[in-house]
Amino acid sequence: MAQLSDFEQEILHFINEYRASKNLAPLVFDEQIQSTVLEHSQNMASGSIDFGHDGFKKRAAQLMSTLRGISAAENVAYGQTTPGQVVQSWLDSDGHRKNIEGDFSHTGIGLAEDGEGRNLFTQFFLKVEEEMPVTEEEISIDASILVQEIINDINEYRATKNLHAFQLSREISEAAQLHSDNIASGNIPFGHDGFKTRATTLLKKIKGKGFAENVASGHRDTHKIVQSWLKSDGHRKNIEGAYTLTGIGVAQSDDGQFYYTQIFVKA
């Protein structure tokens, strides 16, 4: 599956910063959406289709079918040279800004370069149907916001060490979330119970070459959680490791305690 480049990751970071300023949940990166929008940008760059939204209905239908989506939208851009310029051009346009502020949950951002070195961008927005109704306990926290806070802090730290940013993987995040849920519910003790099984399953599924895991417990302050990992030699080693993909799961127990799991995979 396609992953976000550093340039595309920056676009998503700026988009989610803007959404946070409007009290909107961050958009979650999805690999299937990414593959689709990257292909669209590449087709525009090659000249096989005109710049615009050619084939949007087909893309939307396919993604809504495979990802259980219920609504979709798309932004395209042309010629910008920095992530900030791309996002600002969309925010300056009523229609594009409406999509950015829309009731969507998942996204992908595709960048391609034409024969003259000019950039073409596609961002696709998808609202995915909730699998289960939200409970009162889940309303008290927005786990997606906590996850975004953690990945932002960790990628900022990695940048200070001249390390590439981790890319969030849906499959890895699902495994991390399940582990945090099991700890929070008391099904397993706090720690790395089932580590070998998670490693074997994920490495086989995404053809990974390396696996590591950090866990933590505490309160809502994700910045303190990341700092606690950085102050621990073993946890910091994982954060600084030669991994490319990551997944993060956050769960809250009945007594209000938060449990965090971050999984690292080298693809």
Side-chain angles (χ1 to χ4, degrees):
M1 288 290 184
Q3 297 298 317
L4 286 169
S5 66
D6 290 344
F7 196 116
E8 293 159 348
Q9 180 74 42
E10 279 294 297
I11 294 175
L12 180 56
H13 174 69
F14 288 139
I15 292 284
N16 279 336
E17 272 194 343
Y18 176 79
R19 284 177 62 88
S21 74
K22 301 294 183 181
N23 296 316
L24 300 169
L27 298 171
V28 177
F29 168 72
D30 183 88
E31 295 167 344
Q32 291 186 53
I33 298 176
Q34 180 67 13
S35 295
T36 300
V37 295
L38 186 57
E39 181 181 9
H40 182 61
S41 291
Q42 290 170 342
N43 286 337
M44 290 191 294
S46 69
S48 60
I49 61 173
D50 292 334
F51 172 73
H53 300 283
D54 190 69
F56 169 75
K57 289 184 178 180
K58 182 178 179 180
R59 286 191 293 282
Q62 290 176 337
L63 288 170
M64 285 194 287
S65 175
T66 57
L67 298 176
R68 299 178 67 219
I70 54 179
S71 61
E74 184 177 83
N75 285 350
V76 294
Y78 174 70
Q80 292 82 4
T81 58
T82 69
Q85 288 175 357
V86 179
V87 176
Q88 194 58 54
S89 72
W90 284 335
L91 293 177
D92 289 340
S93 162
D94 290 342
H96 295 89
R97 187 176 63 253
K98 181 180 179 181
N99 290 340
I100 290 172
E101 295 177 354
D103 183 18
F104 301 109
S105 56
H106 291 70
T107 194
I109 301 166
L111 161 64
E113 191 175 289
D114 68 13
E116 298 182 10
R118 291 171 295 194
N119 294 327
L120 293 102
F121 306 88
T122 306
Q123 179 171 16
F124 193 95
F125 306 84
L126 186 70
K127 181 178 182 179
V128 175
E129 182 180 358
E130 294 289 339
E131 294 185 2
M132 297 179 62
V134 177
T135 65
E136 291 182 1
E137 289 80 5
E138 291 170 327
I139 292 173
S140 65
I141 61 166
D142 188 334
S144 64
I145 292 177
L146 304 189
V147 167
Q148 195 65 49
E149 289 174 355
I150 292 171
I151 192 62
N152 286 346
D153 280 359
I154 285 178
N155 279 338
E156 284 179 6
Y157 173 79
R158 282 178 62 87
T160 68
K161 302 295 182 180
N162 295 317
L163 300 169
H164 63 79
F166 286 134
Q167 305 300 323
L168 274 173
S169 162
R170 183 182 60 179
E171 291 178 325
I172 300 173
S173 291
E174 287 174 352
Q177 186 62 52
L178 179 61
H179 185 60
S180 291
D181 287 340
N182 282 332
I183 295 174
S185 65
N187 291 336
I188 60 173
F190 173 72
H192 299 280
D193 194 78
F195 173 85
K196 289 185 178 180
T197 300
R198 280 190 297 285
T200 300
T201 302
L202 279 172
L203 290 178
K204 182 178 180 180
K205 182 180 292 186
I206 62 180
K207 298 180 181 179
K209 303 173 184 177
F211 186 97
E213 182 178 87
N214 286 350
V215 295
S217 63
H219 298 293
R220 162 67 176 76
D221 194 335
T222 57
H223 303 296
K224 289 183 178 179
I225 295 299
V226 173
Q227 286 304 309
S228 72
W229 281 338
L230 293 176
K231 291 176 182 178
S232 164
D233 290 343
H235 294 87
R236 186 176 64 255
K237 181 180 178 181
N238 290 340
I239 291 173
E240 295 177 353
Y243 303 104
T244 53
L245 304 177
T246 194
I248 300 168
V250 182
Q252 186 178 19
S253 63
D254 290 340
D255 62 3
Q257 185 85 339
F258 287 83
Y259 294 94
Y260 304 84
T261 303
Q262 180 169 19
I263 295 173
F264 308 86
V265 174
K266 181 177 181 181

